[in-house]
């Protein structure tokens, strides 16, 4: 046992001495090459694997004050924390928690979908991360958490995306990432006799969330990793970490880990500074400097924004001139475009729209901009978004002779930079309003 560390307690925090419980698997398990105590007796804090902390008791006795002093609590208690998997490992006398019954089926499922064996030493770190993260993700999802960029939702998103990167590296770069729903199903099966899960209900919820989250991230995962390999030698780590975050959805921690494999470390403070500067730009954009529902102005989003101009004109040619933009939203993974139209698009209509857009991309049309007054722009046939108020002077973007729209930008200079346009979903939004989701494939 050892005492707590009151210096690290924030003001207002309750705490006190703590007693840590270690299980000793015996000196025969000691691996001297991994031990910081290789030239002397082993110690519970050694990382050789002989000692495993299985529990911790904190004797809640004080509350930290703003001046750094400790004040006795009126009511005291013992806060006990014990790791179930670690206790099982101690019970079966095996220091590897991933070889207990609480992980075995999960590991087997990962082996099946990655075609890699856990017993091979070089595979263990990645398989352990996938198993640990998806087990935690399963509990979070069942508890009502959904992936987002805030609080618990961001924790869940980071767990899923880090597991996706590890599976991508483990299986040789297959996308979309295979097996996540089956791995989570293995978690449910392990705990199916507990009252926490309702298997038939929970598996449907997990499948839906995993499908949506991994469907989005898989689109950008491979491109993001290729971008990292290409840029990591010459671009500042913090700047590259931010670019991967905003363009491909890579949490900072994932890029940090990729850099560590190259013996580099991105500066978190520099990353945060770049991020805050970007937020200020986004707030300015929200006030009207940039139009069009852009999440930010990364390269991918700029391409997708240009593609919405091609999409609107293609829809007007294929479906009719009644088509007008009703809204849009663009992220680093896809574009979403809402438009007026009374009926579901047929497969043939969708195919024709895609073909028309891709033909215009292959023609490598120039994208030009002029500033003019609104009336003159409308007289020249420039499209606007109905119901939106525009200033007297506006920017008009023309894509060759194909499309002309009043827009705040930004755009690529030639359509050949866009890649291949593909519609991934078309659905009803409201009466006489349809919605399209589309991506650009490189």
């Amino acid at each position: 046992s050892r005492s707590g560390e009151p210096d690290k307690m924030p003001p207002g925090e309750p705490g006190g001495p703590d007693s840590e419980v270690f299980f000793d698997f015996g000196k025969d398990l000691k691996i001297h090459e991994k031990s910081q105590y290789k030239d002397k007796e082993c110690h519970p804090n050694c990382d050789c694997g002989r000692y495993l902390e299985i529990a911790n008791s904190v004797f809640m006795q004080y509350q930290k004050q703003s001046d750094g002093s400790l004040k006795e609590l009126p009511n005291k208690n013992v806060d006990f924390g014990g790791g179930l998997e670690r206790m099982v490992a101690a019970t079966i006398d095996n220091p590897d928690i991933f070889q207990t019954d609480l992980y075995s089926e999960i590991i087997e499922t990962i082996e099946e979908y990655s075609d890699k064996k856990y017993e091979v030493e070089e595979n263990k770190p990645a398989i352990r991360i996938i198993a640990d993260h998806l087990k935690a993700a399963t509990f979070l999802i069942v508890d009502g958490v959904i992936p987002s960029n805030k609080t618990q939702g961001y924790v869940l998103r980071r767990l899923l995306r880090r597991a996706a990167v590890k599976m991508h590296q483990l299986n040789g770069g297959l996308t979309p990432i295979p097996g996540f729903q089956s791995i989570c199903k293995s978690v449910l099966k392990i705990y199916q006799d507990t009252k926490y899960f309702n298997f038939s209900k929970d598996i449907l919820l997990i499948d839906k969330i995993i499908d949506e989250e991994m469907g989005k991230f898989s689109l950008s995962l491979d491109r993001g990793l290729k971008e990292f390999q290409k840029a990591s030698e010459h671009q500042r780590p913090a700047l590259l970490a931010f670019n991967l975050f905003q363009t491909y959805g890579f949490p900072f921690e994932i890029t940090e880990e990729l850099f560590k494999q190259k013996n580099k470390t991105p500066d978190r403070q520099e990353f945060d500074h770049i991020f805050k500067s970007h937020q200020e730009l986004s707030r300015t954009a929200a006030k009207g400097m940039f139009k069009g529902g852009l999440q930010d102005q990364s390269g991918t989003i700029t391409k997708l924004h240009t593609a919405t101009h091609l999409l609107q004109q293609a829809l007007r040619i294929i479906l009719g001139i009644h088509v007008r933009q009703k809204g849009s939203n663009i992220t680093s993974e896809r574009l979403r475009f809402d438009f007026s139209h009374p009926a579901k698009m047929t497969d043939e209509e969708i195919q024709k729209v895609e073909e028309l857009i891709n033909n215009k991309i292959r023609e490598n049309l120039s994208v030009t901009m002029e500033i003019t007054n609104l009336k003159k722009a409308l007289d020249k046939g420039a499209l606007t978004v109905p119901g939106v108020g525009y200033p007297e002077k506006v920017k008009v973007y023309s894509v060759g002779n194909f499309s002309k729209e009043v827009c705040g930008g930004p755009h690529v200079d030639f359509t050949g930079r866009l890649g291949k346009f593909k519609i991934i979903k078309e659905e009803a939004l409201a009466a006489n309003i349809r919605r399209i989701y589309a991506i650009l494939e490189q």
Side-chain angles (χ1 to χ4, degrees), residues 159-379:
L159 289 171
L160 292 173
R161 293 191 174 188
R162 187 176 183 222
V165 171
K166 292 300 178 183
M167 182 65 94
H168 184 276
Q169 294 173 333
L170 201 61
N171 66 22
L174 293 178
T175 50
I177 303 300
F180 272 25
Q181 282 125 322
S182 295
I183 297 168
C184 292
K185 185 176 182 179
S186 298
V187 177
L188 294 180
K189 290 172 69 175
I190 289 172
Y191 294 92
Q192 62 185 339
D193 293 331
T194 69
K195 294 182 179 179
Y196 191 80
F197 293 124
N198 180 328
F199 188 91
S200 59
K201 176 183 174 184
D202 293 338
I203 193 62
L204 295 176
L205 174 65
I206 289 169
D207 282 354
K208 180 178 183 295
I209 290 178
I210 294 288
D211 185 60
E212 290 178 355
E213 183 67 11
M214 287 299 97
K216 290 187 291 187
F217 189 53
S218 292
L219 295 174
S220 56
L221 173 57
D222 189 55
R223 282 178 284 173
L225 289 173
K226 288 178 181 176
E227 179 66 21
F228 174 82
Q229 295 301 331
K230 181 175 66 175
S232 59
E233 299 302 326
H234 59 81
Q235 196 171 106
R236 291 201 328 271
L239 179 59
L240 179 56
F242 175 73
N243 289 338
L244 292 176
F245 171 76
Q246 69 160 349
T247 306
Y248 300 106
F250 278 42
F252 174 85
E253 293 76 12
I254 289 177
T255 308
E256 182 181 40
E257 189 171 333
L258 292 173
F259 267 115
K260 284 181 179 178
Q261 296 171 8
K262 293 178 173 284
N263 297 315
K264 296 181 180 180
T265 304
D267 187 315
R268 183 63 196 241
Q269 288 186 332
E270 183 183 0
F271 173 87
D272 290 340
H273 175 73
I274 297 171
F275 181 78
K276 287 177 182 177
S277 299
H278 171 75
Q279 282 186 314
E280 290 174 9
L281 177 61
S282 295
R283 281 193 288 269
T284 304
K287 292 177 182 177
M289 184 176 287
F290 301 105
K291 308 292 184 182
L294 299 185
Q295 187 186 73
D296 54 57
Q297 291 187 79
S298 63
T300 302
I301 287 179
T302 297
K303 292 176 183 178
L304 286 165
H305 184 213
T306 305
T308 62
H309 287 223
L310 295 176
L311 174 59
Q312 177 164 223
Q313 186 58 26
L315 289 169
R316 285 169 63 85
I317 291 172
I318 302 301
L319 302 179
I321 61 172
H322 63 277
V323 169
R324 295 294 297 273
Q325 178 179 338
K326 292 296 184 180
S328 71
N329 177 267
I330 300 171
T331 71
S332 57
E333 284 101 9
R334 52 83 181 137
L335 68 82
R336 189 185 75 202
F337 186 79
D338 303 335
F339 61 100
S340 53
H341 186 59
K344 176 179 173 63
M345 291 178 65
T346 66
D347 292 343
E348 183 181 3
E349 287 171 338
I350 291 174
Q351 183 179 354
K352 285 182 177 180
V353 168
E354 287 180 341
E355 288 177 352
L356 179 53
I357 292 172
N358 285 316
N359 284 339
K360 297 305 173 184
I361 292 174
R362 282 190 291 269
E363 289 175 18
N364 199 23
L365 301 176
S366 63
V367 181
T368 58
M369 186 272 291
E370 68 170 330
I371 298 176
T372 183
N373 64 61
L374 180 60
K375 184 178 184 305
K376 187 175 180 181
L378 296 175
D379 289 343

